[in-house]
Amino acid sequence: MKIGTLCFRTDQGLSILAKSFFDHGIVTHPIAVRHGRRPENVGWYPGCFEITNLRDARQISVVKEFIREMDAMLFFETPFIWELFPFCREVGVKTFLEIMYECMPEVLPAQPDFFLCPSLLDQQCFPDRSMFLPLPVDVPWKLRKAASAFVHNAGWGGLLNRNGTGQLLDAMRLVKSPIKLILRSQKP
């Protein structure tokens, strides 16, 4: 089965998520979308197509020809081009959108065939044509009975503060217990 996607190749959230799906063999055929503002890991997807401008009709034609060869397309939070959903439906390619409710438009410009929800909250927000699907991230779990150190991954800061770094820092003023907060960021 050929499962395609459009994805960045940068050291940031959605890129790393797409790479995990590729590394686990779920996505088999990626198209790299040039980021333009972040350094790229060009070795992530050897031999893949690269799109540099998603507003260029010729490059969109390349994407559409690529899609015609797929059995399904898996998009991570955004299809980049919302018109791809009806195009995929027209050519018989199933579409899946892995959502993050906090960054989705209230009214989607187009609908995928199915929503993949990484949290139960996502599934509550998108109850129709969806399923809860934990992300394939390799993090070992162990039971802890008390916590004194916390890690917050701020990344690049998050679109529209969706990572909640500002709220976390505001909330820290209310903490009375001695704790350690480790704030990880890719920018100063």
Side-chain angles (χ1 to χ4, degrees):
M1 177 172 266
K2 291 181 175 181
I3 300 178
T5 195
L6 302 179
C7 56
F8 292 129
R9 305 179 284 203
T10 56
D11 286 320
Q12 60 189 56
L14 286 181
S15 301
I16 293 168
L17 179 60
K19 179 77 164 76
S20 293
F21 274 75
F22 178 77
D23 290 346
H24 284 83
I26 299 166
V27 167
T28 59
H29 292 76
I31 289 184
V33 177
R34 194 74 191 262
H35 193 282
R37 293 184 309 273
R38 304 272 184 240
E40 302 214 20
N41 298 301
V42 293
W44 276 10
Y45 309 112
C48 75
F49 285 108
E50 181 179 292
I51 300 300
T52 57
N53 182 354
L54 288 171
R55 290 180 176 81
D56 182 323
R58 289 171 295 178
Q59 292 193 19
I60 293 172
S61 293
V62 169
V63 171
K64 287 181 175 181
E65 286 308 309
F66 168 86
I67 287 173
R68 288 179 190 277
E69 301 298 318
M70 297 299 113
D71 297 303
M73 289 293 293
L74 173 54
F75 298 100
F76 297 95
E77 196 171 320
T78 177
F80 292 95
I81 306 165
W82 286 93
E83 293 78 22
L84 290 179
F85 286 139
F87 173 77
C88 287
R89 194 166 292 114
E90 179 183 308
V91 298
V93 173
K94 293 293 182 191
T95 55
F96 298 84
L97 178 61
E98 188 275 328
I99 63 165
M100 306 239 176
Y101 77 93
E102 70 274 15
C103 203
M104 298 304 293
E106 273 191 56
V107 177
L108 298 181
Q111 293 284 322
D113 292 315
F114 207 75
F115 295 99
L116 302 177
C117 302
S119 74
L120 294 174
L121 179 58
D122 290 312
Q123 192 172 27
Q124 286 174 5
C125 294
F126 291 86
D128 300 324
R129 300 179 339 273
S130 71
M131 69 175 287
F132 172 58
L133 180 70
L135 300 176
V137 178
D138 296 322
V139 178
W141 181 87
K142 67 178 183 179
L143 177 65
R144 294 166 180 91
K145 300 209 181 219
S148 59
F150 299 87
V151 177
H152 175 73
N153 292 311
W156 288 100
L159 179 65
L160 304 174
N161 194 33
R162 73 169 187 228
N163 290 353
T165 304
Q167 291 94 332
L168 174 65
L169 295 175
D170 289 344
M172 288 303 296
R173 288 185 273 233
L174 305 174
V175 175
K176 305 296 182 215
S177 306
I179 67 164
K180 179 180 182 180
L181 173 63
I182 301 166
L183 181 63
R184 295 180 180 156
S185 176
Q186 290 171 288
K187 68 178 185 177

